[in-house]
Amino acid sequence: MTDAYHDHLTYLVAYANDDWVGFSPIVGAATALARPTPTRDRVTDLVLGLISDLLATGVLPGDLTDSDDETFVPWAIDVPAVLVRIRAEMTQLPELPDSGDICWFTTRAGDVPAG
């Protein structure tokens, strides 16, 4: 793991501790790490690597809801299935995913993040 990768991952973990994380900051980190040639395939691989490492720290993927009682519903699938699902959904998008696409990430599944 390079220092730059570690720095981006640390930022994303801290973000997930405070709020829901969409794909924008993850794709942004992956694009920065893929420089000077951030091809879609390279960025996709880095996105999936970052997500895998986020999940290893306890970050959960899931969906936001309109419910006041349960604002975030974690996906009830294991890490390999999460990565397969995200890769499959990414390939269906015309561009790299943005926040609001596919899912959200947080460590605070049981409560409403501050943001």
Side-chain angles (χ1 to χ4, degrees):
M1 180 182 306
T2 67
D3 288 344
Y5 185 96
H6 181 266
D7 290 347
H8 284 288
L9 180 61
T10 300
Y11 168 78
L12 292 168
V13 170
Y15 191 162
N17 282 316
D18 290 333
D19 205 347
W20 296 294
V21 179
F23 271 83
S24 293
I26 298 170
V27 169
T31 300
L33 291 166
R35 294 198 197 295
T37 53
T39 65
R40 182 170 176 149
D41 287 343
R42 177 76 176 127
V43 172
T44 297
D45 289 344
L46 284 163
V47 163
L48 293 168
L50 286 165
I51 290 170
S52 178
D53 290 338
L54 282 169
L55 300 178
T57 69
V59 173
L60 303 169
D63 299 306
L64 295 179
T65 73
D66 292 331
S67 170
D68 290 336
D69 297 326
E70 191 173 27
T71 55
F72 180 86
V73 178
W75 288 355
I77 56 178
D78 64 11
V79 171
V82 167
L83 298 174
V84 166
R85 179 176 173 179
I86 289 172
R87 180 181 291 278
E89 291 194 32
M90 285 179 73
T91 62
Q92 298 302 312
L93 295 171
E95 302 289 331
L96 290 165
D98 198 0
S99 292
D101 293 336
I102 304 174
C103 69
W104 296 84
F105 301 90
T106 190
T107 59
R108 301 177 58 146
D111 55 70
V112 179

